[in-house]
Amino acid sequence: MLTLATDLDALTRFGRALADPIRCRLLLALREAPAYPSDLADALGISRTRLSNQLACLRDCGLVVAVPEGRRSRYELADPRLGHALDDLRNAVVAVETDRTCQETDEKGCC
């Protein structure tokens, strides 16, 4: 039985997914269009084994789903709103990055 995640659980899962650059690249690729694992591995330049592990993580986080198509599975975002969330987050980060209010950011690596 599927249950909806609480707000905190949903944000934790999303954060865990975004903590890895390969998973970020996967989410961004799937934001553009659904894809097959072999195509994703080729596009990202990683092994199929590594890709499989990352897709499993994203499935466990509830962010992507595998859609069976005959003997193959196509992957897509679990909800189209995730694509919008990725865009919003990316735009917010870019806006924060250009607003360099912390004078010590380069020295301390903060902000």
Side-chain angles (χ1 to χ4, degrees):
M1 180 175 132
L2 291 176
T3 59
L4 292 178
T6 65
D7 290 345
L8 181 59
D9 186 44
L11 289 174
T12 301
R13 288 170 181 256
F14 199 58
R16 186 179 320 128
L18 294 177
D20 182 89
I22 291 175
R23 290 193 294 267
C24 287
R25 291 173 60 204
L26 274 169
L27 288 170
L28 291 172
L30 293 174
R31 181 181 118 272
E32 296 298 323
Y36 296 101
S38 59
D39 297 333
L40 288 167
D42 292 343
L44 298 179
I46 62 174
S47 71
R48 291 182 185 186
T49 301
R50 192 165 184 198
L51 178 86
S52 178
N53 291 336
Q54 300 301 335
L55 285 172
C57 179
L58 292 173
R59 276 194 322 268
D60 290 345
C61 287
L63 300 177
V64 302
V65 293
V67 179
E69 290 186 347
R71 294 173 40 199
R72 300 174 73 188
S73 290
R74 176 179 42 86
Y75 281 82
E76 61 187 45
L77 295 178
D79 187 314
R81 292 176 290 185
L82 289 170
H84 299 293
L86 289 166
D87 289 338
D88 290 344
L89 183 59
R90 190 179 57 196
N91 290 333
V93 170
V94 170
V96 171
E97 184 178 312
T98 59
D99 180 20
R100 305 284 297 248
T101 56
C102 179
Q103 301 301 317
E104 301 173 339
T105 189
D106 291 330
E107 295 169 16
K108 295 184 177 179
C110 60
C111 305

